[in-house]
Amino acid sequence: MTYGDYLQLKTLLAAQKPLTKKHDEHLFIIIHHVQELWLNLMAHELNAAIDFIERDQLPPAFKSMARMTRILEQMISAWNVLSTMTPSDYLEFRNELGQSSGFQSFQYRMVEFRLGAKDPKMLLPHRHDTENYERLKAALEAPSLYDVALMLLKRRGFAIPDDIVNRDFSVRHVFSDAVRDAWLKVYRNSKENFEVYELAEELVDLEDWFQQWRFRHMKTVERIIGFKRGTGGSSGVAFLKSALDHSFFPELWAVRTEL
């Protein structure tokens, strides 16, 4: 067993197949490969965190969640590298991308679903791949990270309404005054509820970093293509900006105002 054998480096490095001889296409492919590798690890850690919370094992869930924030830090840095590519550099090979788009990333959609950004329409770009479609559909219909956190709160005696934890999980969670008040109780008695308080802060930290990654993505795209439509027909920057308006864990942000 050699280093290259263990990491399957020949397979990994053979995956960079530029369609042109333009210098910056190599950069473009590698950055997106890097992002997909990190997304793969994000999904792995998300699944672990959800499993641990469902089993009331919060310390190992905290480890997975902390790791996800460090992953997002690396993903943000990747956009900084891509931003060294100028609009002129990108236009030299952009037409060769055809209808391919980051909007079609199976792993990104999996991470969003597991975080709670549920939208059945987002299954549509994956209809051509039966295996990935079924995996996404299962994630869409399963409780998200926030859902299992609220279930844990209820198990620990906090007043989470039944219709919050027994609902159609394929629909995005909607802000609830009762959920906000439950988190408010956690924060106002943080010493007595320290483990759940730490869970709340891990969730906020995770969303904070995820939104920073989204923002850096949006600004990198704006820097390179302005407000042109994205490849694949997406609205480009406009779509990326709209995602910044949606919170995974809205009550945790509202608590800040109430304290």
Side-chain angles (χ1 to χ4, degrees):
M1 176 69 71
T2 68
Y3 176 80
D5 292 337
Y6 178 70
L7 295 177
Q8 295 292 299
L9 285 183
K10 286 185 178 179
T11 301
L12 179 66
L13 298 178
Q16 288 86 56
K17 298 183 184 298
L19 299 176
T20 72
K21 294 184 178 180
K22 302 302 181 182
H23 179 78
D24 284 76
E25 190 183 359
H26 195 66
L27 162 70
F28 186 82
I29 292 173
I30 284 180
I31 291 299
H32 286 83
H33 277 169
V34 166
Q35 297 279 11
E36 289 292 332
L37 287 169
W38 283 129
L39 284 169
N40 184 275
L41 186 55
M42 275 278 291
H44 180 67
E45 296 297 340
L46 257 174
N47 289 337
I50 289 170
D51 182 58
F52 284 128
I53 293 170
E54 287 181 323
R55 292 189 280 140
D56 283 83
Q57 297 178 12
L58 292 189
F62 297 156
K63 180 178 179 180
S64 285
M65 293 165 73
R67 182 172 291 167
M68 284 187 274
T69 65
R70 299 300 175 266
I71 292 169
L72 287 162
E73 187 176 4
Q74 296 301 312
M75 291 171 70
I76 291 168
S77 296
W79 294 133
N80 295 337
V81 179
L82 185 62
S83 68
T84 63
M85 183 174 66
T86 69
S88 297
D89 295 332
Y90 183 48
L91 288 173
E92 287 186 326
F93 64 86
R94 186 182 191 230
N95 287 340
E96 299 300 321
L97 302 180
Q99 295 299 305
S100 63
S101 168
F103 187 76
Q104 300 156 350
S105 170
F106 157 74
Q107 295 194 123
Y108 173 74
R109 197 60 59 201
M110 177 64 77
V111 167
E112 276 213 330
F113 281 0
R114 296 302 265 160
L115 285 173
K118 303 293 187 71
D119 185 347
K121 294 194 299 294
M122 295 305 176
L123 288 174
L124 299 180
H126 306 279
R127 286 174 299 179
H128 65 286
D129 187 324
T130 302
E131 181 181 355
N132 283 347
Y133 180 87
E134 291 301 324
R135 288 175 63 192
L136 278 177
K137 187 172 183 290
L140 178 74
E141 296 171 352
S144 70
L145 178 66
Y146 195 46
D147 290 322
V148 298
L150 296 181
M151 291 174 188
L152 180 135
L153 240 61
K154 188 173 181 65
R155 290 196 300 275
R156 297 202 176 184
F158 291 90
I160 303 297
D162 289 338
D163 62 353
I164 295 290
V165 295
N166 298 304
R167 64 183 186 86
D168 179 359
F169 293 114
S170 67
V171 178
R172 181 192 288 266
H173 168 76
V174 177
F175 180 90
S176 161
D177 288 338
V179 171
R180 179 203 58 203
D181 292 344
W183 285 121
L184 194 57
K185 185 176 180 180
V186 170
Y187 274 81
R188 284 179 171 160
N189 302 278
S190 58
K191 291 181 180 178
E192 295 83 354
N193 304 301
F194 190 78
E195 198 174 45
V196 181
Y197 171 68
E198 188 173 357
L199 172 62
E201 283 299 290
E202 290 287 354
L203 288 168
V204 169
D205 204 30
L206 179 57
E207 179 163 352
D208 189 356
W209 279 99
F210 197 90
Q211 291 289 56
Q212 290 184 56
W213 177 74
R214 278 175 162 173
F215 178 80
R216 195 70 191 91
H217 181 194
M218 180 270 292
K219 293 306 291 185
T220 301
V221 172
E222 183 178 0
R223 175 173 176 157
I224 295 173
I225 69 168
F227 286 84
K228 292 185 181 74
R229 292 190 69 80
T231 52
S234 73
S235 59
V237 169
F239 174 79
L240 297 175
K241 280 187 174 180
S242 69
L244 292 168
D245 295 331
H246 300 292
S247 174
F248 298 124
F249 323 127
E251 294 88 358
L252 286 171
W253 295 96
V255 160
R256 270 80 184 147
T257 304
E258 300 296 327
L259 285 172

